[in-house]
Amino acid sequence: LSTSTQLSDLKEIKHLILAVATDRAGNKSLPIEYAFWSDFTAPNVNISPIATPTNMRDINIPVSATYNIVDPANTLSLFYVLDAEISYKPFISPIPLKNLENGTHTVKAYASDKAGNVGEIKISNPFMVDFMPPTITYTAQPSSNMSTYNSAKINFSVIDNESGVQAYNCKLTLNNIEIPNANCTAGQDVNLSITQNGNYKFSVTATDKVGNM
């Protein structure tokens, strides 16, 4: 003999079912107890803000989670994906991101509990990984042999499409000795006065907002 009972409107507490069988002669079995917990609350995750921009290729992202603790044995499982990945990976906080590519990224994460409740997918703030230095391009420069000139014109540009240009610096040397040169503006002509014979060298260095140089 077997039977079943449909339970409805259960609350999120611990329940106890006590079952006793009675035969036609009136004999009763020993009671059997069955305890279980009802849990209908989905867990929730919170992804900590991610610093942006950054020049770090490996990042650990802390994630916190809340869930219904009515059942002391309840446990959580955490899952994440990076960018357009499809398959979620299990993780234990923090999310370990390795060998990130240059560019903008986002992370998605969610949690499920032992009862089978699945939480909402949360999305991190977009964060930029930038490990490329600014690009310096000379758009105008003198020839390598200027024996008949007493001046030179140089024009250059500094571009960084990721975190942006933080600063740039110009340096003029004569026979490997630095000489003053106040004119240093990207996109404008730099006019150099050639006052004596020798080997002149003009160079530009640039740094972006995360320190790439």
Side-chain angles (χ1 to χ4, degrees), residues 50-57 59 83 100-106 124-132 160-164 208-210 212:
I50 306 169
T52 182
T54 178
N55 59 359
M56 304 293 290
R57 295 176 186 247
I59 301 176
D83 299 330
L100 289 167
E101 295 182 355
N102 203 71
T104 301
H105 304 276
T106 56
S124 73
N125 64 287
F127 61 98
M128 176 178 289
V129 175
D130 175 14
F131 46 80
M132 300 296 291
D160 190 284
N161 293 322
E162 282 76 35
S163 60
D208 66 17
K209 294 181 180 179
V210 294
N212 298 308

Side-chain angles (χ1 to χ4, degrees), residues 2-206:
S2 63
T3 186
S4 63
T5 300
Q6 180 69 39
L7 303 177
S8 60
D9 298 326
L10 294 172
K11 296 182 179 180
E12 288 189 299
I13 59 173
K14 182 179 181 180
H15 304 280
L16 179 65
I17 295 177
L18 182 66
V20 176
T22 304
D23 64 18
R24 294 179 180 178
N27 301 304
K28 292 185 178 181
S29 67
L30 293 174
I32 296 177
E33 293 183 355
Y34 177 74
F36 66 97
W37 298 83
S38 291
D39 177 11
F40 318 118
T41 303
N44 182 64
V45 298
N46 180 60
I47 304 173
S48 297
I50 306 169
T52 182
T54 178
N55 59 359
M56 304 293 290
R57 295 176 186 247
D58 300 340
I59 301 176
N60 290 324
I61 304 175
V63 175
S64 60
T66 57
Y67 62 102
N68 193 343
I69 57 174
V70 65
D71 179 2
N74 197 3
T75 56
L76 280 183
S77 297
L78 302 173
F79 304 89
Y80 83 96
V81 291
L82 174 66
D83 299 330
E85 293 177 347
I86 298 176
S87 300
Y88 279 78
K89 305 180 185 70
F91 74 97
I92 298 174
S93 184
I95 297 174
L97 301 180
K98 303 293 183 182
N99 298 318
L100 289 167
E101 295 182 355
N102 203 71
T104 301
H105 304 276
T106 56
V107 170
K108 299 177 184 178
Y110 75 91
S112 63
D113 62 18
K114 187 178 179 180
N117 300 303
V118 178
E120 177 185 357
I121 294 174
K122 296 296 181 67
I123 304 175
S124 73
N125 64 287
F127 61 98
M128 176 178 289
V129 175
D130 175 14
F131 46 80
M132 300 296 291
T135 301
I136 301 170
T137 304
Y138 291 94
T139 55
Q141 55 185 320
S143 64
S144 59
N145 185 0
M146 295 187 57
S147 59
T148 60
Y149 296 91
N150 58 10
S151 65
K153 182 177 74 173
I154 296 176
N155 197 304
F156 66 94
S157 64
V158 181
I159 299 173
D160 190 284
N161 293 322
E162 282 76 35
S163 60
V165 177
Q166 179 67 33
Y168 59 88
N169 180 63
C170 299
K171 182 179 179 180
L172 178 64
T173 62
L174 171 59
N175 299 326
N176 296 321
I177 299 175
E178 186 172 357
I179 58 177
N181 179 62
N183 188 355
C184 180
T185 303
Q188 297 184 11
D189 289 342
V190 179
N191 294 304
L192 306 178
S193 178
I194 309 301
T195 59
Q196 54 185 299
N197 294 331
N199 182 21
Y200 288 84
K201 181 179 179 181
F202 181 85
S203 60
V204 180
T205 57

